[in-house]
């Protein structure tokens, strides 16, 4: 599983997708840009990145994305007991 834990990378991806959306649809006031980016474009970008990095088929990458990260029970308990638990959730691709 590949993770994006660096907020600068997440911000960079968001800004790139915002530019792509701007060039594709212009500046329509009736669309919720943030929602389209976070609910549609970012998951698609992460799935395609996973497909490319791991050299797997698109359906396999989609299934891995939908299944979410695989954590051991020990890791989950360690993260829950960590004082930084709420500030360190990784975004995966």
């Amino acid at each position: 599983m590949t993770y994006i834990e660096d907020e600068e990378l997440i911000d960079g991806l968001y800004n790139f997708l915002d530019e792509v959306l701007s060039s594709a649809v212009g500046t329509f006031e009736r669309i919720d840009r943030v929602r389209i980016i976070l609910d549609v474009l970012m998951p698609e970008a992460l799935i395609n990145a996973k497909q490319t990095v791991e050299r797997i088929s698109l359906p396999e990458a989609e299934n891995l994305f939908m299944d979410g990260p695989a954590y051991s029970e020990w890791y989950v308990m360690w993260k829950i007991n960590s004082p930084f638990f709420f500030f360190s959730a990784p975004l995966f691709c």
Side-chain angles (χ1 to χ4, degrees):
M1 187 63 62
T2 307
Y3 297 94
I4 301 176
E5 294 181 347
D6 186 357
E7 287 191 33
E8 289 181 24
L9 289 174
I10 295 170
D11 289 343
L13 177 58
Y14 179 89
N15 292 332
F16 173 76
L17 294 173
D18 189 40
E19 290 176 22
V20 169
L21 184 60
S22 293
S23 67
V25 297
T27 55
F28 290 104
E29 293 180 17
R30 296 180 55 104
I31 64 170
D32 184 354
R33 299 179 70 78
V34 173
R35 188 165 188 166
I36 289 174
I37 291 169
L38 295 180
D39 291 348
V40 179
L41 298 178
M42 192 166 288
E44 287 296 323
L46 295 174
I47 289 169
N48 284 302
K50 181 156 215 46
Q51 176 191 12
T52 302
V53 168
E54 296 194 10
R55 297 181 181 169
I56 57 177
S57 69
L58 185 59
E60 288 176 304
E62 289 172 344
N63 288 337
L64 287 172
F65 182 84
M66 296 303 292
D67 289 343
Y71 294 119
S72 68
E73 184 178 341
W74 174 87
Y75 180 78
V76 171
M77 294 309 294
W78 176 77
K79 287 298 266 185
I80 289 173
N81 293 321
S82 169
F84 303 107
F85 172 69
F86 295 105
F87 305 107
S88 62
L91 179 64
F92 66 94
C93 68

